[in-house]
Amino acid sequence: MKNWFMLTLVGKDRAGIVAGVTRALYEGGCNLGEASMVRLGGMFTIMMMVESDHDRAHLESLTRPADDSAGLRVHIDRIEGSLHNHIEPNYRFTVYGADQAGIVAETTEALARLGLNIINLESDVGGTKENPIYILHIEGQTKKKHEKIEKALDELSQRKNIEIRITPINTLIG
């Protein structure tokens, strides 16, 4: 019986992390499912579904050489994995404003009240050290109408003095 695991790795960014980890898993007979990998503030993080005929200890033994050489911290959880259950976002939100506490919390709370299931969220701080600008990108799925979403986010935009762009995503193109 195949086992699914969620493998999470975090370490200082450098070239070859993905190649080292995925090569070790491939040679160990594992199959990769969905994955997300990103560089944040000089650190690199990997989160991926791994399918294996073996147990967690075997998976740890496969990744250990790559972990040790790259200084990665590894966390492995057994999960009830399945593929082909991908949820497509139907809205994208882009938020810009002077960096201030609470932008993510208040934006995501407003979106949660609209029934939005957040699928992807990325943020960055641009501008200068003296005038930082917070940039937030969110993709998600909701059944609410565009007009209701605009009305709900307009209040937040004015109160926090931030710009919120709402873009419907048509997944039926092509």
Side-chain angles (χ1 to χ4, degrees):
M1 180 178 159
K2 297 276 187 179
N3 299 307
W4 279 101
F5 298 92
M6 183 61 69
L7 177 65
T8 307
L9 299 101
V10 178
K12 190 170 181 174
D13 188 30
R14 67 167 180 76
I17 292 174
V18 176
V21 171
T22 56
R23 170 59 65 181
L25 294 171
Y26 171 65
E27 290 179 355
C30 298
N31 185 39
L32 302 185
E34 297 174 3
S36 180
M37 305 178 194
V38 66
R39 183 182 191 277
L40 298 170
M43 301 296 285
F44 192 75
T45 184
I46 298 173
M47 198 165 99
M48 66 178 139
M49 295 171 60
V50 178
E51 183 183 35
S52 173
D53 287 329
H54 302 284
D55 61 8
R56 178 182 163 168
H58 180 73
L59 197 56
E60 287 174 345
S61 72
L62 292 174
T63 60
R64 189 165 301 119
D67 308 344
D68 292 344
S69 68
L72 300 172
R73 289 188 304 264
V74 179
H75 183 83
I76 301 171
D77 291 307
R78 181 136 185 220
I79 61 171
E80 290 185 29
S82 65
L83 300 176
H84 315 291
N85 295 322
H86 194 74
I87 300 171
E88 295 293 332
N90 63 351
Y91 279 98
R92 177 177 300 119
F93 304 88
T94 305
V95 179
Y96 297 94
D99 189 18
Q100 57 186 297
I103 291 177
V104 176
E106 293 197 36
T107 301
T108 55
E109 286 170 356
L111 294 173
R113 285 191 293 272
L114 293 165
L116 185 89
N117 180 12
I118 294 175
I119 298 169
N120 294 309
L121 185 152
E122 294 181 10
S123 67
D124 199 0
V125 179
T128 63
K129 188 173 183 176
E130 296 78 27
N131 296 306
I133 298 169
Y134 200 81
I135 305 159
L136 177 63
H137 302 278
I138 298 173
E139 291 182 343
Q141 187 179 73
T142 182
K143 293 180 180 175
K144 298 291 184 195
K145 300 280 185 198
H146 188 87
E147 296 76 24
K148 186 166 184 159
I149 295 170
E150 271 187 337
K151 186 176 178 182
L153 295 179
D154 188 51
E155 182 278 326
L156 174 65
S157 176
Q158 291 181 26
R159 184 168 41 83
K160 297 290 283 184
N161 195 26
I162 56 177
E163 179 180 330
I164 303 175
R165 295 183 188 162
I166 306 165
T167 307
I169 299 172
N170 185 352
T171 57
L172 298 177
I173 294 175

